């Protein structure tokens, strides 16, 4: 990683010198305090420090906990499965309420049916008694309302069952995401094996800090250059 890439990655944070990072990479791996230089930077990056832009292809999001792809997919499958099970349980409870209500209303319907038979006989034998006729009409009206409520409850049960069937697609989506995770993990293992070397990183010679043709920005900062010019000017004055 060059100094320019680090500056873009760190944003407004204090500039990190590439020389110091290279020297940190030379720490032995058996050191309990050892961390890769890039790992140190990544651990310190917060999501608000990363500024994405459609006009800039680099750098990609830092590989911290908030941007690790497999971590995010695992969270999606876990959370969606938990919520799907919760919703299925609620739909089942709703369906049971509909069924219990329908059973109770059918019991009331049987009572009203019996009352209608009784008041029908009384109205025929005593046609001049208005109370019997009014009671008959009231029970007939109530029975009609109960029939409508039972139809609504049956429709509610059907809707709850269709919603439960639709929720089953969540399991198919979970399986597709898990298959994608397995492919990503397999590619990760393949790439790691492909770029594996015979020499351990801690035994490798450190990379050259500056090569002919590199920009001096990768070696020293503007402040260092100004300080050097100032010190040269002071020496010339003393001479």
């Amino acid at each position: 990683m060059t100094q320019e890439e680090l500056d873009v990655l760190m944003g407004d944070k204090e500039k990190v010198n590439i020389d110091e990072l290279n020297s940190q990479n030379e720490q032995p791996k058996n050191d309990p305090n050892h961390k890769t230089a890039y790992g140190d930077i990544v651990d310190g990056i917060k999501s608000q420090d990363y500024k994405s832009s459609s006009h800039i292809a680099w750098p990609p999001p830092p590989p911290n906990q908030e941007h690790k792809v497999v971590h995010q997919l695992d969270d999606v499958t876990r959370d969606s499965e938990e919520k799907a099970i919760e919703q299925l349980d609620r739909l089942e409870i709703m369906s049971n309420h509909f069924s219990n209500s329908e059973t109770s209303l059918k019991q009331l319907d049987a009572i009203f049916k019996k009352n209608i038979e009784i008041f029908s006989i009384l109205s025929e034998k005593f046609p001049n008694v208005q109370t019997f006729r009014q009671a008959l009409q009231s029970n007939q009206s109530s029975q009609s309302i109960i029939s409508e409520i039972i139809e609504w409850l049956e429709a509610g049960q059907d809707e709850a069952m269709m919603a439960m069937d639709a929720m089953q697609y969540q399991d198919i989506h979970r399986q597709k995401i898990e298959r994608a995770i397995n492919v990503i993990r397999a590619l990760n293992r393949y790439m790691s094996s492909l770029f594996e070397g015979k020499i351990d990183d801690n035994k490798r010679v450190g990379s050259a800090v500056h090569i002919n043709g590199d920009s001096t920005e990768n070696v020293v900062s503007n402040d260092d250059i100004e300080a050097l010019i100032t010190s040269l000017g002071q020496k010339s004055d003393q001479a």
Side-chain angles (χ1 to χ4, degrees), residues 4-213:
E4 293 178 355
E5 292 171 345
L6 282 174
D7 290 343
V8 174
L9 189 62
M10 295 302 293
D12 296 334
K13 291 180 175 291
E14 183 180 356
K15 288 187 176 180
V16 179
N17 193 300
I18 196 68
D19 298 351
E20 296 177 359
L21 298 181
N22 289 332
S23 63
Q24 291 177 14
N25 279 330
E26 297 177 0
Q27 286 183 288
K29 286 187 176 181
N30 55 6
D31 183 357
N33 299 321
H34 171 72
K35 268 191 176 182
T36 62
Y38 186 67
D40 292 336
I41 296 174
V42 168
D43 291 341
I45 292 177
K46 298 179 181 179
S47 59
Q48 60 266 27
D49 295 331
Y50 173 75
K51 305 298 182 183
S52 60
S53 174
S54 59
H55 303 291
I56 301 176
W58 183 264
N64 54 16
Q65 294 296 329
E66 297 180 2
H67 294 109
K68 290 185 178 180
V69 177
V70 175
H71 286 193
Q72 296 294 316
L73 292 176
D74 286 336
D75 290 341
V76 169
T77 54
R78 183 192 66 249
D79 294 342
S80 60
E81 185 174 9
E82 290 177 356
K83 293 299 181 182
I85 293 174
E86 181 180 344
Q87 295 303 318
L88 286 172
D89 291 341
R90 291 183 180 277
L91 288 171
E92 185 177 1
I93 293 173
M94 291 171 58
S95 179
N96 292 335
H97 288 331
F98 291 148
S99 178
N100 294 335
S101 300
E102 182 181 352
T103 301
S104 299
L105 286 173
K106 286 182 178 179
Q107 293 174 354
L108 290 176
D109 183 67
I111 294 173
F112 283 117
K113 184 177 181 180
K114 187 67 176 178
N115 291 340
I116 290 172
E117 293 177 358
I118 294 173
F119 287 117
S120 295
I121 295 173
L122 291 174
S123 295
E124 291 177 0
K125 289 186 176 182
F126 306 97
N128 295 327
V129 179
Q130 296 295 327
T131 303
F132 294 153
R133 185 175 300 276
Q134 291 175 357
L136 175 62
Q137 293 175 353
S138 176
N139 279 270
Q140 288 175 338
S141 176
S142 298
Q143 188 183 37
S144 176
I145 293 174
I146 287 176
S147 298
E148 290 181 0
I149 296 175
I150 290 175
E151 291 179 359
W152 294 340
L153 291 173
E154 290 175 348
Q157 280 184 289
D158 293 339
E159 292 294 333
M161 292 300 297
M162 287 189 290
M164 294 175 70
D165 291 339
M167 292 295 293
Q168 298 298 329
Y169 281 99
Q170 185 276 337
D171 186 60
I172 299 176
H173 296 160
R174 176 187 58 80
Q175 294 178 27
K176 289 182 178 180
I177 294 174
E178 288 179 346
R179 183 166 59 184
I181 291 174
N182 291 332
V183 171
I184 293 172
R185 296 296 297 165
L187 288 174
N188 178 65
R189 290 190 296 270
Y190 171 75
M191 295 299 290
S192 297
S193 176
L194 184 66
F195 292 107
E196 188 179 40
K198 296 181 180 179
I199 304 174
D200 293 337
D201 290 340
N202 61 338
K203 296 181 180 179
R204 292 183 179 277
V205 177
S207 301
V209 176
H210 179 68
I211 301 176
N212 186 25

Side-chain angles (χ1 to χ4, degrees), residues 23 63 186 222 234:
S23 63
N222 291 333
Q234 291 175 352

